[in-house]
Amino acid sequence: MEGVHRSSPTAGSVNVERAENSFHELSRQLTQGTAVDDEEHGAEDTRVRPKDLEKGALDLEQPFDLREYLTSSNDANESAGIKHKHVGVLWDDFHVDVVGSSDFKIHTFSDEAWQFWVAPFFKLRSIILGLLPSRVKSDVTRTILHKSSGLLEPGQMCLVLGTPGSGCTTFLKAIANERQGFYHVGGDVRYAGIDAQEMAKTYKGELVYNAEDDIHIPTLTVGQTLNFALSTKTPGPKGRLPGISRSEFNASVKGMLLKMLNIAHTENTLVGDSFVRGVSGGERKRVSIAEMMTTRARVQCWDNSSRGLDASTALDFVRSLRIMTDVLGQTTFATLYQAGEGIYDLFDKVMVLDQGRTVYFGPPDQARAYFERLGYRSLPRQSTADYLTGCTDPNERQFAPGVSENDAPSTPEALEAAFQNSDLARDVADDLSKYKLRMETEKIEQDAFRAAVADDKKKGVPIKSPYTLGLKDQVVALTRRQFQKRLQDKFQIYTSYGFMTILALFIGGCYLNLPPTSAGAFTRGSVLFVALLVSSFDAFVEMPAQMTGRPVIRKQTDYGFYRPAAYQIANALADIPFSSTRILIYDIIIYFMTHLDRSAGRFFTFHVINYTAFLAMQGFFRTIGLFFSDFHSAYRVAVSIFPNLILYAGYMVPINQMKRWLFWIFYINPVNYAWSALMENEFQRLTLACDGAYVVPRNTGNAAKYPADLGPNQVCTLFGASPGSATVSGRDYIKAGYGLDADDLWRRNFIVLVGFLVFFSITQTVVIEIFPQFVGGGGAGFFAKDTPETKKLNAELITRKIQKAEDEKQEKIRAIDGIKTKGNKNAFTDRKAFTWERVNYHVPVTGGPLQLLNNVYGYVKPGTLTALMGASGAGKTTCLDVLAQRKNIGVVSGDILIDGRALDADFARETAYAEQMDVHEGTATVREAMRFSAYLRQPFHVLKEEKDAYVEDMLELLELQDLSEAMVCSLGVEARKRLTIGVELASKPELLLFLDEPTSGLDAQSAWNLVRFLRKLADSGQAILCTIHQPSSLLFESFDRLLLLGKGGNTIYFGDIGNDSDVMREYFARNGAPCPQNVNPAEYMLEAIGAGITPRIGDRDWKDIWLDSPECARTKTEIEEIKREASTRSQSVTTKQSMYATPIWYQLRVVVQRNTISLWRSPAYVFTRLFSHLIVSLFVSLPFLQLGNSVRDLQYRIFGIFWVIVLPGLIIPQLEPIFITNRLTFIREASSRIYSPYVFATGQLLGEIPYSIICAVIYWVLMVYPMHFGQGSTGKSGTGFQFLVILITELYAVALGQLIASITPSIQIAALFTSPIQIILSNMCGVTIPYPSLGKFWRPWLYQLDPFTRMLAAMLSTELTGLKITCKPEEFALFNPPSSQTCAAWASDFVNAAGGYLDNPNDSAGCRYCQYKVGDEFFLPLNIRFSNRWRDVGIFFCFFVFNFIATIIASRYLRFARR
C-alpha cells in the first residue's frame, strides 16, 4: 500500500551513483562503468536533495565519478589476473513449439471423473508406443515463437517489444535456456560459441531469467535473502582480489547492492508477501533485482522488471543495467512495458515480435524509419516503443496517406517476410556468419569464459559442475537459511509447539495414571497407539508444504544457487532441532502423565522410537508431496494409504485375523514396526495383576459369592494368563494378544523403522532431483463450452467489433494530431460533485501515529477525468482508499462530501472502485463475472435483459469480445485488469468511479485503450478519479485535472492540466521548473519535485509553494462554490436508504448459482473429496468383509462404525482452502456492498450440499453392504437410518470446516486446528475411552459437548441392538466350577449380573462363558440407549446448525482485511 513508510528514512528509488559505487568497490565481477551523466540534468546549484521518509537523509557527498572508479577497479582486477566472462549470444533459426492449442475447454467434474478411470490406459498406451523404435511423434503442436536469427554481443542490450501474447516472455525464457514447459526448442543457440546443451549442463548459472512476479521466502529479511544468494555464488580464491576473504567479499557486495538499489534501510526487514507484512511492493521488486545480480551471470534476461515502479525509478533501473552491461561486458535482454524515450535510447538493439514472428531486429534509432518506409504513418508525438508496438496491433496501427493494409505488409507473416528481405536482416545474417566464424576459429572469449567460471568455483568442485559450491557447502548454506526461516516464523513455532503440548496434555489427561493391572493393559496399548498416530500424522502437513515452496526452489536452482537434492537434505536437517524438541516435550508429558513404565531406559527408548517413526512418516509424506504437481493428486494417494497404515498396524486387527490376501500390508507398514516396538518396550518387564472385569466369574451387581482374589474356580481372561495364576507377564500378554516378541524390539522392529527412515530420505532426494514437479506457466486460455445463447451473443460482439475498428483508428489519429475530443465539463451540472477538504490520515505504528495524508483538498466534477499522481510512497493509493471509504484502520479526519452533504450509507453501493489487485472468482467466465456484478449492483427494478445488454456493451467497450467465455483464472495480466474495470462498470455507478493504477502491468497500447475508454465514460457524464503510473504525454493529456502528491501525503498541485498540459506547465514554469517542449510533462513534473534520484528543482519545498499559490486558494474557493450551488438545488425525495441494491433472497439465488458453477468447474477438489470417501470406505471394509456374530466380529462392526469419525478429517483440510479463497473474493465484493455476508456464508454451505449427499451415498454403500450390516433387530431398515447419520456427519463436517476457516486469517493457520479438534472429539465420545473409564473432569461437559458422542450412540445402538452374539471356541472364557456344582449353579449369578451366556450350563467342568449374548450388552455400559437414537440424531443435527450459524456470524464480523 502506498504511503505507508515502515521504518527507515532511506526508502526510495534506485540510486545509481551511490549504488554502483559500492557495487564495484568489491567485486571484480560486478565492476561497471558509465555513471549517470551529470550533463543529463545539468549541474544546477538550485537542485536540492530532499530529506524525507522515502529518500533518506540529506546527501552531502561529492559526486562520484563512476567511470574513473570502474576503470581503476578493472585495472586492479586485470593486474591480479582475474579473467572476465564475456558471453555473446547467437541464435539461428531459433523457434519454440508447445503442445496443443492455446485454447482449451473448461475442465469440469464430469470430465475429471471420466478421465480418472481412462487416463491410466492412455498413459500406458503412450508408454508402449514410445518404446517402439519406428514410432513417429504424433503430438499436436503449435509454434509460439517462429524461426528467428540474431546476435547480441557482450556489452550490448536488447529491448524486446510486442503486444501481449506476441512471445516476448517466451523469447526471454528460451534465450535464457529455461526450456521447461516447452515441447521443443529448435534452432542453433550459442553462448560464446558453446551450445545450449552444454550451457544447461555445465554453465546454467551464467544464463538467468528474472520473471515478472517477485518470488521470495517471506519470513526471511532482505539481508538474509541476499546473504544466502551470495553464499552460494561467492567466487573461489582465484576469482577474488588477493587478501579479500569470502565473508568480506559477500558483505561488501551486499552493501553495494543495497545502496545501489536504495534499499539499505530494508536490510533487517522481512521480505514479506500477501500474508506476511514486509517491505513494500516496489522494494520487493528491487530485492528480486538484487538477488539476480548476485548470480554474476553474464547473460541476463529481465521480464518487465519495472512493473510497479514509477517512471523515474524505472529509468534509474535501466540506467543501472546500462552501466553493468558496459563495464562488465554483460549481454542483457529486457522487455519493458510503457518504455519512455529515455529508457528506449539506452538500448543497443530492439526486437519487435508479432505473434511470435520477428518483424524487426536492429538498431533502435532506425526502427521508426523502417516502419515508416513500410507504409506506416509517422507519429512523432508517440514514443518510439509505443509506435513500434502499435505497428503490430491491427486495432492501433495507422497507415500513411495513400497506403492501406492491402499495400503495406500488415499480417505477422508479411511483416516477417518484409524484414527478412530488408538490408537490416542481411546485416544481421552477415554479423551472424562473421561471429560464428570468429567463435569457431579464435575461441578466445570461450576459453576465457571457461577459465573464469572454473576460477569461480570453490576448491574441490568438479569443473563440469554448474554450481559454484559443492553439495556439502550447498547443504550447509541451505541448512542455515532454512533454520533462519523457521526461527523467524514465530507464529508457526508458537502454534506447532502449542498444539502439540495441548494434545499431549489432553492425551495424558484422558489416560491419566494407568494402573499396572489387567485394567490398564489394553489402555496402555491404546495410549501408545494414539501417541504414535498423533506424532506420526503430525508430519502430514509436510505434504502441502512441499508444494508451496516450489516457485522459490525453481527460481534459485535456475540461478545455479544449488541443486534440488541439496535443498531437500538441508530442509530435513534444519527441521531436526525444532521437531526433536517438540516431540520430546510431547513424549515427556504423555509418558509420565499416563504412568507408563517409569524408568529412564524405557522412556528414552519410547522417545527414540516415537521420534524415529515421526521422521520416517515425515519422509513418507514429503515423498508423496514431491512426486505430484498438485495437492489434490497427492492427497488422493495419501488418503489411499492412510487407512491401511492404521488398520494394518496390528492394533485394530491382529495379524492372525487379517485377510490372507491383505496381510502383506502389515509387513510394509512403518507404523506397525513403530507400534510393535513401543509395545515391546512397555510390556517386556511389566507384570500385570489380574483383577476387575478380567476375572470370570466375579462379584458384580447383586453377585457377591465369589472370592475377592483370583481363586481356583475363576479364570483371568487377559491375553497370556496362565490357569491359577493371579498375574500375567507383559511378554506373555503381547505374545498371546498381538503376536509380538519382546526380543524383536532392537533386532527387528527398530532396525526396520530406521530402514524406512533411510529409504524415505533417499526417495525424497531422488524424486526432487530426477522428477522435479515445477509447473510452468502455460499461457493457455480455458473457455466455457458454447451454448445457443453464448454463440449468438459472441457472433453479435464480433460483428460490432469489426464495425467499431475503423472508428477507433480515426479517434487515435485525432488524438495523436492533437485534436481533443473531450466533452463539455459543464454539461452535467445537474449531477452530484464529489469534494474533500482538510483530509488527514494517521495510522498506528511502533513509536506513535504516522501521518500519511496531510490536509489534502480537491474535487471531482461529473464529466471529468482526474489523475492522482505522485512520488513513490507519496500516498496515492492511501488517498484513494480514504476517499473511497475503504480504510478500516487508522484515523481519518476532514470533510468528504457529495454535493456538500455527508456521505450516506449507500455511498459504497453507488460508487465503483477498481482496485490495484485483480481479485475475482477464478472459475467464472468474463461474461459471468460481469453479469454477476450487474445483477446484484444495478437496481433490482432493472430488467435482467437490460442488465445483460449493458454487459454486452461493456464487453465491447473493453475489447473483451474474444475473451467473453474465457475462464478468469486463465486470463493474462492485461485482460484481467480490463475485467476488473468491467466488473465495476457493470454496476453503472451513479456517483463516482475510482481506479487504482489501472494501467499498471499493461503495455502501452493496452494502457492507451483503457484511458481512451475512461475518457469516453467521462464525456458521457461519469466522474472519475484515477491513480496512474508512467503515463505517456499522449495518455496524460486525456485527463482533465491532476492531483499531485508529494512525500508525506502533501499536495504539490491540484488543478487543470490543459491542452498540451499548458496549464500545468505554466504553474511549474512560474515556480522555477520550465518543462522542455520535447519532454513528457508527466515525467518531468516528478523529476522536478525530486521523486526520482534527481534532486528537486528549487530551494523551496513544492508543498510550501502550493500552499502559497493562487491555485490553492482557487481550489478552496471552487469547493465552496460547489457546496453553495448544491445547497441551492432542491434535493429529490430520497427513497429509503438500502445498503444493497437487491433483496436478500435474490442475492442468495445469484450467489448460490455462482458457487454451484464454481464447484462444478473445480473438479480436482470435488473429485478428490468423492475419491477419498470411496477409497477410505473401501479399504476399511476389506478387512471386515461379511461380518458374522462372534465377539471378534462385534468388535469389527464397532471399528467399522468408528471410522465414520474420520470423515470430518478428510473433508475439512480440502474445504478450508476453498472457503478462505472465496472469502478473499467476498472481501473485495463486500466493499462495494454487492451482497450480504449472511448470503456469502449460506451460499458456501448450500453449494457443498449436493456433493455431500453423493459422498454420503458412496461411503454408506461401501460400508453397510460389504460389512454385512443390518443383522440386528432393526434389520435392513436400520441401514437407512445409518445413511441419515452419515449424511448429517457430512453436513456437520462441511459446516465445521467452514467455521474453522471463517475464524482464521489464512489457510496455514486454519490447517493447524484440524488435527487437534479431530483428536479431541474422537477421544471424548465415550467409545475410544469407554464411558465408565472417562475421567470425572471430562464426563460432565466435554463428553456431552462432543458431537461424535451423539453420532456414535445413534449408529452403534441401531446396528447392535438385538444382534445375537455367538462366541467362537477361542473366544470363550474357560473355568471349572467347584466340585459337585454345575456351571450354571456356580456362574449363573455372575452371568445374570454381567450379561453374556454360558454355552454349557449343565456341565460340571470346562465351563464356557461368552462375554456377550446380544449387542445391547456392549453399548449399554457406554451410556448408549437404543430408545434415544432419534434424540441423539436431533442433537447431532443441532451441532451442524450451530456451526452454520457461527460461520454466518464470523463471516459478518471477522474478515481479516486490514487496510
Side-chain angles (χ1 to χ4, degrees):
M1 181 178 68
E2 292 194 48
V4 179
H5 308 283
R6 288 188 163 76
S7 56
S8 171
T10 57
S13 54
V14 179
N15 188 330
V16 176
E17 296 175 346
R18 186 175 58 195
E20 257 81 54
N21 173 1
S22 306
F23 184 84
H24 299 292
E25 231 169 9
L26 249 189
S27 137
R28 78 76 158 142
Q29 302 85 345
L30 295 178
T31 51
Q32 309 175 11
T34 80
V36 177
D37 199 341
D38 288 337
E39 298 177 0
E40 193 167 302
H41 299 292
E44 301 179 29
D45 294 335
T46 57
R47 290 185 180 267
V48 178
R49 186 171 299 280
K51 179 178 180 180
D52 53 52
L53 289 173
E54 180 79 9
K55 300 288 295 176
L58 192 67
D59 187 358
L60 300 177
E61 295 180 3
Q62 294 296 318
F64 176 71
D65 190 338
L66 189 59
R67 280 196 181 280
E68 181 180 349
Y69 173 79
L70 293 180
T71 300
S72 60
S73 177
N74 279 333
D75 289 344
N77 289 330
E78 290 178 3
S79 300
I82 297 175
K83 302 178 180 64
H84 286 283
K85 295 184 288 186
H86 292 163
V87 182
V89 181
L90 174 153
W91 62 100
D92 192 10
D93 285 343
F94 182 51
H95 61 279
V96 177
D97 299 329
V98 295
V99 176
S101 168
S102 60
D103 300 332
F104 301 92
K105 294 302 179 185
I106 294 177
H107 202 54
T108 64
F109 168 64
S110 60
D111 299 325
E112 181 78 9
W114 179 79
Q115 290 181 14
F116 177 80
W117 301 110
V118 302
F121 298 100
F122 285 102
K123 185 69 175 177
L124 181 62
R125 175 180 174 273
S126 64
I127 292 174
I128 294 174
L129 292 177
L131 297 175
L132 299 179
S134 61
R135 182 186 179 236
V136 179
K137 290 186 178 180
S138 59
D139 296 318
V140 178
T141 64
R142 61 187 176 92
T143 302
I144 59 173
L145 191 66
H146 295 267
K147 288 186 178 180
S148 170
S149 300
L151 168 67
L152 199 66
E153 297 197 50
Q156 290 186 335
M157 293 173 61
C158 176
L159 176 63
V160 184
L161 298 174
T163 58
S166 61
C168 296
T169 296
T170 299
F171 176 81
L172 291 182
K173 293 181 72 173
I175 210 71
N177 226 15
E178 287 198 12
R179 303 189 174 195
Q180 310 96 325
F182 300 134
Y183 180 80
H184 174 66
V185 178
D188 185 22
V189 185
R190 299 273 171 172
Y191 306 89
I194 303 172
D195 62 52
Q197 289 72 27
E198 184 179 354
M199 288 297 290
K201 183 178 180 180
T202 310
Y203 305 109
K204 74 173 183 178
E206 299 298 326
L207 314 172
V208 290
Y209 165 78
N210 185 268
E212 192 170 354
D213 295 324
D214 301 313
I215 302 170
H216 299 283
I217 297 174
T219 55
L220 291 181
T221 66
V222 172
Q224 289 169 338
T225 300
L226 296 182
N227 282 337
F228 169 74
L230 287 165
S231 69
T232 62
K233 300 296 287 187
T234 308
K238 295 182 180 179
R240 301 193 303 269
L241 289 174
I244 301 296
S245 67
R246 290 174 57 87
S247 59
E248 290 173 336
F249 179 90
N250 290 345
S252 299
V253 174
K254 182 183 73 171
M256 175 277 307
L257 288 172
L258 293 172
K259 292 177 183 177
M260 182 180 75
L261 297 170
N262 211 350
I263 52 174
H265 61 286
T266 68
E267 181 175 0
N268 296 317
T269 305
L270 296 182
V271 176
D273 63 3
S274 302
F275 300 103
V276 179
R277 186 174 182 181
V279 299
S280 68
E283 290 165 342
R284 192 175 299 121
K285 173 60 69 179
R286 282 174 264 173
V287 173
S288 299
I289 293 169
E291 184 184 34
M292 193 167 107
M293 287 179 175
T294 64
T295 63
R296 297 177 293 111
R298 286 305 175 261
V299 178
Q300 298 183 357
C301 298
W302 303 89
D303 191 358
N304 194 25
S305 296
S306 64
R307 187 183 76 174
L309 305 179
D310 60 43
S312 59
T313 306
L315 179 59
D316 294 339
F317 163 61
V318 180
R319 283 173 176 164
S320 300
L321 291 182
R322 178 73 269 172
I323 294 170
M324 294 169 64
T325 303
D326 285 343
V327 179
L328 298 180
Q330 291 181 175
T331 308
T332 304
F333 297 84
T335 178
L336 301 170
Y337 290 162
Q338 304 180 47
E341 211 65 28
I343 291 177
Y344 181 84
D345 291 339
L346 292 172
F347 287 85
D348 303 289
K349 298 283 182 68
V350 63
M351 171 184 282
V352 183
L353 296 176
D354 186 5
Q355 295 185 20
R357 299 180 185 274
T358 303
V359 299
Y360 181 84
F361 178 69
D365 56 356
Q366 299 181 30
R368 183 185 286 268
Y370 169 80
F371 280 95
E372 290 173 359
R373 290 196 300 270
L374 291 181
Y376 290 91
R377 184 182 177 190
S378 174
L379 302 172
R381 296 184 72 249
Q382 198 173 14
S383 69
T384 304
D386 189 0
Y387 172 78
L388 297 179
T389 307
C391 289
T392 66
D393 189 342
N395 296 323
E396 301 299 330
R397 59 187 171 212
Q398 311 294 332
F399 293 100
V403 180
S404 70
E405 61 183 13
N406 297 323
D407 306 321
S410 56
T411 64
E413 294 80 4
L415 284 168
E416 181 185 46
F419 174 70
Q420 294 297 334
N421 294 324
S422 68
D423 291 337
L424 289 167
R426 284 187 282 274
D427 291 343
V428 171
D430 185 52
D431 292 342
L432 212 61
S433 60
K434 291 179 180 178
Y435 190 79
K436 273 187 178 180
L437 180 62
R438 181 155 61 92
M439 288 296 101
E440 292 172 357
T441 55
E442 298 180 4
K443 295 190 177 182
I444 297 175
E445 289 185 3
Q446 183 182 136
D447 293 340
F449 170 74
R450 293 181 188 274
V453 173
D455 289 346
D456 273 355
K457 298 184 186 301
K458 189 177 181 181
K459 186 178 180 181
V461 179
I463 292 180
K464 291 190 176 181
S465 170
Y467 306 103
T468 305
L469 301 181
L471 178 63
K472 185 194 75 172
D473 292 314
Q474 292 174 22
V475 170
V476 170
L478 278 162
T479 302
R480 185 184 303 112
R481 186 195 71 177
Q482 293 301 101
F483 185 81
Q484 290 173 339
K485 170 188 169 184
R486 285 172 167 79
L487 193 62
Q488 290 169 192
D489 192 351
K490 302 295 184 184
F491 185 84
Q492 179 68 26
I493 291 176
Y494 295 151
T495 51
S496 61
Y497 277 79
F499 277 124
M500 284 298 285
T501 303
I502 290 171
L503 285 175
L505 291 170
F506 173 76
I507 296 170
C510 291
Y511 298 93
L512 188 64
N513 286 326
L514 296 176
T517 65
S518 58
F522 183 77
T523 47
R524 284 176 188 271
S526 298
V527 74
L528 293 173
F529 190 66
V530 171
L532 174 65
L533 288 186
V534 170
S535 60
S536 296
F537 287 97
D538 177 63
F540 180 82
V541 296
E542 295 291 336
M543 194 172 68
Q546 302 310 302
M547 298 165 192
T548 56
R550 283 177 181 172
V552 173
I553 300 173
R554 177 175 184 174
K555 180 187 74 169
Q556 294 184 341
T557 52
D558 287 340
Y559 283 178
F561 287 170
Y562 52 83
R563 64 188 312 139
Y567 171 83
Q568 206 59 33
I569 296 170
N571 195 38
L573 293 176
D575 185 60
I576 288 177
F578 298 95
S579 62
S580 61
T581 54
R582 189 173 69 246
I583 299 297
L584 178 61
I585 294 170
Y586 170 84
D587 286 346
I588 289 174
I589 294 173
I590 289 181
Y591 196 88
F592 291 102
M593 281 188 69
T594 57
H595 202 279
L596 296 178
D597 189 1
R598 291 182 177 176
S599 69
R602 299 281 80 75
F603 167 73
F604 283 109
T605 301
F606 169 84
H607 173 64
V608 167
I609 293 169
N610 203 24
Y611 185 59
T612 305
F614 167 81
L615 293 177
M617 295 304 297
Q618 184 184 60
F620 168 73
F621 285 118
R622 283 179 175 175
T623 300
I624 293 178
L626 291 169
F627 198 80
F628 292 93
S629 60
D630 64 282
F631 172 75
H632 294 291
S633 298
Y635 190 79
R636 292 173 195 170
V637 173
V639 163
S640 301
I641 298 173
F642 167 74
N644 295 306
L645 292 176
I646 298 176
L647 286 170
Y648 294 94
Y651 171 71
M652 284 189 168
V653 183
I655 186 172
N656 57 0
Q657 297 292 325
M658 294 177 184
K659 304 292 184 186
R660 291 298 89 190
W661 44 281
L662 289 174
F663 81 99
W664 56 270
I665 301 176
F666 174 84
Y667 292 103
I668 60 170
N669 182 3
V671 178
N672 153 45
Y673 295 96
W675 181 73
S676 298
L678 291 176
M679 288 287 286
E680 291 157 1
N681 175 63
E682 175 64 20
F683 284 95
Q684 63 177 328
R685 295 184 182 179
L686 195 65
T687 300
L688 303 168
C690 192
D691 62 359
Y694 288 89
V695 176
V696 174
R698 63 184 178 275
N699 295 323
T700 183
N702 294 324
K705 67 179 184 180
Y706 305 103
D709 298 324
L710 187 68
N713 303 115
Q714 295 170 291
V715 65
C716 180
T717 60
L718 189 67
F719 291 127
S722 301
S725 175
T727 59
V728 179
S729 165
R731 284 175 172 263
D732 294 338
Y733 169 73
I734 60 175
K735 181 70 174 178
Y738 302 100
L740 301 178
D741 186 346
D743 294 332
D744 288 339
L745 171 58
W746 298 110
R747 71 184 183 187
R748 188 191 73 163
N749 293 327
F750 182 73
I751 292 175
V752 175
L753 192 59
V754 171
F756 275 112
L757 170 59
V758 173
F759 174 75
F760 289 129
S761 298
I762 294 173
T763 55
Q764 57 184 307
T765 304
V766 170
V767 167
I768 196 173
E769 186 74 20
I770 300 178
F771 308 106
Q773 296 294 329
F774 298 142
V775 180
F782 290 86
F783 290 78
K785 297 176 182 177
D786 289 331
T787 65
E789 179 195 13
T790 56
K791 278 185 180 179
K792 179 182 176 182
L793 292 174
N794 292 335
E796 293 175 355
L797 285 175
I798 297 301
T799 302
R800 291 161 67 177
K801 177 181 179 181
I802 296 172
Q803 295 171 350
K804 181 185 173 188
E806 187 59 33
D807 295 337
E808 291 179 346
K809 289 182 181 180
Q810 297 304 318
E811 182 181 344
K812 188 161 188 178
I813 291 174
R814 290 193 296 271
I816 293 172
D817 290 340
I819 303 173
K820 304 301 178 184
T821 58
K822 295 181 183 179
N824 182 3
K825 291 180 280 185
N826 298 317
F828 308 102
T829 55
D830 58 324
R831 300 194 182 186
K832 298 177 181 179
F834 182 62
T835 64
W836 58 94
E837 307 171 78
R838 302 177 303 280
V839 172
N840 293 273
Y841 179 56
H842 296 78
V843 294
V845 296
T846 303
L850 175 65
Q851 185 169 12
L852 301 183
L853 295 178
N854 185 16
N855 284 323
V856 181
Y857 287 77
Y859 57 86
V860 180
K861 291 183 177 181
T864 61
L865 179 57
T866 302
L868 175 54
M869 299 181 65
S872 177
K876 300 183 293 294
T877 299
T878 300
C879 183
L880 206 62
D881 283 345
V882 168
L883 296 179
Q885 304 294 292
R886 292 300 199 267
K887 290 295 184 186
N888 54 25
I889 59 172
V891 178
V892 178
S893 62
D895 296 329
I896 302 176
L897 309 173
I898 288 287
D899 252 8
R901 292 171 175 79
L903 306 183
D904 297 328
D906 57 357
F907 172 77
R909 178 171 62 82
E910 294 182 340
T911 59
Y913 187 4
E915 301 185 41
Q916 193 173 150
M917 301 299 293
D918 304 314
V919 179
H920 301 283
E921 167 53 58
T923 59
T925 65
V926 170
R927 177 178 280 116
E928 289 168 352
M930 294 177 67
R931 281 186 172 184
F932 181 83
S933 178
Y935 290 162
L936 295 181
R937 298 175 71 177
Q938 292 187 24
F940 183 59
H941 62 77
V942 178
L943 295 177
K944 176 179 178 294
E945 291 74 15
E946 292 183 32
K947 296 178 180 179
D948 289 343
Y950 185 73
V951 166
E952 297 305 306
D953 293 338
M954 293 300 100
L955 287 170
E956 179 185 5
L957 290 172
L958 291 167
E959 299 175 353
L960 289 167
Q961 302 98 323
D962 297 333
L963 298 173
S964 62
E965 294 304 309
M967 202 173 181
V968 171
C969 64
S970 69
L971 296 178
V973 174
E974 181 257 353
R976 186 181 286 258
K977 179 63 67 178
R978 282 187 280 159
L979 173 62
T980 298
I981 298 167
V983 164
E984 297 303 315
L985 293 177
S987 66
K988 276 192 173 180
E990 299 176 16
L991 296 178
L992 194 66
L993 173 61
F994 298 96
L995 301 104
D996 189 12
E997 297 185 16
T999 62
S1000 180
L1002 305 185
D1003 68 299
Q1005 298 300 324
S1006 299
W1008 159 253
N1009 291 339
L1010 184 55
V1011 174
R1012 180 199 68 205
F1013 173 63
L1014 295 179
R1015 180 71 262 166
K1016 287 183 179 180
L1017 281 179
D1019 292 341
S1020 65
Q1022 183 70 60
I1024 303 175
L1025 178 60
C1026 169
T1027 63
I1028 191 165
H1029 262 331
Q1030 305 180 34
S1032 65
S1033 57
L1034 191 66
L1035 205 123
F1036 185 59
E1037 290 167 15
S1038 298
F1039 291 86
D1040 298 301
R1041 290 191 183 88
L1042 168 70
L1043 171 57
L1044 179 62
L1045 295 180
K1047 300 298 165 53
N1050 293 288
T1051 304
I1052 303 298
Y1053 175 79
F1054 178 79
D1056 291 346
I1057 295 174
N1059 291 329
D1060 199 23
S1061 306
D1062 55 355
V1063 176
M1064 188 197 73
R1065 286 172 183 265
E1066 190 278 331
Y1067 173 82
F1068 279 94
R1070 175 163 32 96
N1071 291 285
C1075 177
Q1077 287 298 317
N1078 62 340
V1079 174
N1080 179 359
E1083 294 180 358
Y1084 179 78
M1085 68 177 182
L1086 292 175
E1087 292 191 7
I1089 67 174
I1093 64 169
T1094 308
R1096 72 164 185 251
I1097 295 177
D1099 55 0
R1100 288 191 69 197
D1101 197 315
W1102 282 94
K1103 75 176 189 305
D1104 298 327
I1105 295 175
W1106 165 253
L1107 293 174
D1108 297 336
S1109 68
E1111 284 82 0
C1112 178
R1114 191 181 308 131
T1115 297
K1116 296 178 181 180
T1117 302
E1118 182 69 18
I1119 292 173
E1120 293 301 322
E1121 182 64 20
I1122 290 172
K1123 293 194 292 184
R1124 187 189 61 78
E1125 291 181 1
S1127 65
T1128 62
R1129 290 197 297 267
S1130 60
Q1131 295 295 309
S1132 58
V1133 179
T1134 58
T1135 58
K1136 181 181 178 182
Q1137 291 183 3
S1138 173
M1139 189 173 290
Y1140 304 101
T1142 57
I1144 195 166
W1145 63 265
Y1146 183 76
Q1147 296 174 31
L1148 185 60
R1149 192 182 85 180
V1150 176
V1151 170
V1152 169
Q1153 182 181 17
R1154 183 177 73 166
N1155 288 349
T1156 302
I1157 294 174
S1158 174
L1159 288 173
W1160 182 252
R1161 292 175 181 167
S1162 304
Y1165 160 66
V1166 176
F1167 183 75
T1168 298
R1169 186 176 162 191
L1170 266 64
F1171 178 83
S1172 63
H1173 282 71
L1174 182 149
I1175 208 72
V1176 169
S1177 186
L1178 177 64
F1179 280 141
V1180 170
S1181 297
L1182 286 178
F1184 307 139
L1185 290 175
Q1186 296 299 305
L1187 296 176
N1189 293 68
S1190 67
V1191 172
R1192 179 71 74 177
D1193 289 337
L1194 171 67
Q1195 294 174 343
Y1196 291 161
R1197 290 179 190 274
I1198 297 164
F1199 286 155
I1201 291 174
F1202 187 79
W1203 270 90
V1204 178
I1205 284 180
V1206 174
L1207 294 184
L1210 298 177
I1211 297 169
I1212 294 174
Q1214 300 176 70
L1215 186 140
E1216 287 168 342
I1218 299 292
F1219 186 93
I1220 292 175
T1221 302
N1222 290 343
R1223 185 177 62 191
L1224 295 176
T1225 306
F1226 166 68
I1227 289 171
R1228 193 267 301 170
E1229 294 171 335
S1231 300
S1232 300
R1233 304 293 189 267
I1234 301 181
Y1235 55 93
S1236 163
Y1238 310 122
V1239 170
F1240 165 72
T1242 305
Q1244 291 295 306
L1245 176 67
L1246 294 179
E1248 296 280 352
I1249 287 179
Y1251 301 103
S1252 297
I1253 295 173
I1254 298 173
C1255 288
V1257 171
I1258 291 174
Y1259 194 92
W1260 172 73
V1261 168
L1262 291 176
M1263 179 184 79
V1264 300
Y1265 293 106
M1267 287 194 276
H1268 204 220
F1269 275 23
Q1271 302 305 305
S1273 59
T1274 58
K1276 294 299 181 184
S1277 63
T1279 59
F1281 181 84
Q1282 306 284 30
F1283 171 74
L1284 174 64
V1285 179
I1286 293 174
L1287 177 58
I1288 297 176
T1289 305
E1290 289 285 330
L1291 298 177
Y1292 166 79
V1294 169
L1296 178 61
Q1298 293 182 347
L1299 173 59
I1300 294 172
S1302 68
I1303 62 175
T1304 49
S1306 67
I1307 296 171
Q1308 294 88 337
I1309 297 174
L1312 295 174
F1313 283 86
T1314 305
S1315 293
I1317 290 176
Q1318 184 75 11
I1319 292 168
I1320 291 172
L1321 295 183
S1322 61
N1323 277 279
M1324 284 291 105
C1325 60
V1327 175
T1328 310
I1329 303 174
Y1331 177 78
S1333 301
L1334 269 179
K1336 294 181 180 179
F1337 174 75
W1338 308 110
R1339 199 182 301 176
W1341 64 284
L1342 192 52
Y1343 167 78
Q1344 301 294 342
L1345 291 175
D1346 190 341
F1348 294 160
T1349 298
R1350 309 300 170 180
M1351 182 263 284
L1352 287 176
M1355 295 190 74
L1356 288 174
S1357 62
T1358 301
E1359 173 60 21
L1360 301 184
T1361 188
L1363 178 67
K1364 296 187 180 300
I1365 306 300
T1366 304
C1367 279
K1368 293 180 178 178
E1370 65 272 15
E1371 295 173 342
F1372 286 109
L1374 303 177
F1375 59 92
N1376 293 314
S1379 60
S1380 73
Q1381 290 191 34
T1382 63
C1383 294
W1386 170 243
S1388 58
D1389 291 349
F1390 164 71
V1391 173
N1392 292 334
Y1397 69 92
L1398 286 169
D1399 188 51
N1400 53 341
N1402 297 320
D1403 289 358
S1404 57
C1407 302
R1408 295 187 297 275
Y1409 169 72
C1410 185
Q1411 184 178 4
Y1412 300 113
K1413 184 176 183 180
V1414 290
D1416 305 63
E1417 294 175 350
F1418 170 81
F1419 63 74
L1420 287 175
L1422 301 180
N1423 196 33
I1424 296 175
R1425 301 293 182 271
F1426 176 73
S1427 58
N1428 292 336
R1429 62 176 186 153
W1430 282 107
R1431 182 205 68 177
D1432 293 332
V1433 168
I1435 296 174
F1436 189 32
F1437 185 79
C1438 289
F1439 279 107
F1440 153 68
V1441 174
F1442 170 81
N1443 289 343
F1444 172 53
I1445 295 173
T1447 302
I1448 291 177
I1449 296 172
S1451 299
R1452 168 65 179 85
Y1453 294 103
L1454 300 175
R1455 298 183 189 173
F1456 303 101
R1458 291 167 57 86
R1459 57 183 298 177

